[in-house]
Amino acid sequence: MKLTKLLTYLTTEPSVNDSQDPEITSIEMDSREVKKGSLFVCVKGYTVDGHDFAQKAVENGAAAIVAEKELDVDVPVIIVRQSLRALSVLSDAFYGQPTKKLQLIGITGTNGKHQRPIWLMRFSKKRGSEQA
């Protein structure tokens, strides 16, 4: 998927010119997993900051980087407010929005939480639905 198409899923559309519109082959947040064509997303953790590994990601073949601050690298850098949020939105778009196909049921309360899931599972089996 082209980077510009992927970026249309973000609420604030960062601009990338046509000469810097690479084909994205995967989305990674671990620089060791980056390969040619990957989009590397810099995520700040509690002990490690993904921004510190941006250059390593480029060396491993990253085609572009999503970050929360400017970086001095030789690939397009897309600046976002929250890189972790951008990671989830971009991954959803890249992998064909699988979350739209999910049907979720939540069971809350203090009593009856054991029997209700069993009843729902039996009911959905009769309807031919898959269960996790």
Side-chain angles (χ1 to χ4, degrees), residues 3 15-17 19-22 39-40 62-66 73-78:
L3 178 60
S15 62
V16 175
N17 63 36
S19 66
Q20 293 184 323
D21 190 17
L39 175 64
F40 179 65
I65 295 181
V66 174
V73 292
D74 296 330
V75 297
V77 177
I78 295 87

Side-chain angles (χ1 to χ4, degrees), residues 25-97:
T25 58
S26 69
I27 298 176
E28 307 294 343
M29 59 183 266
D30 183 338
S31 62
R32 298 168 295 186
E33 299 293 322
V34 170
K35 52 194 170 293
K36 188 174 181 345
S38 294
L39 175 64
F40 179 65
V41 182
C42 300
V43 177
K44 284 184 184 179
Y46 291 109
T47 57
V48 179
D49 186 350
H51 294 83
D52 297 337
F53 298 94
Q55 184 59 45
K56 183 66 176 167
V58 172
E59 291 169 10
N60 289 346
I65 295 181
V66 174
E68 294 179 5
K69 61 185 178 183
E70 290 289 334
L71 297 170
D72 186 24
V73 292
D74 296 330
V75 297
V77 177
I78 295 87
I79 306 297
V80 296
R81 264 197 201 137
Q82 298 175 322
S83 58
L84 192 57
R85 172 79 176 131
L87 174 63
S88 66
V89 170
L90 294 170
S91 296
D92 185 55
F94 184 79
Y95 293 106
Q97 298 180 313

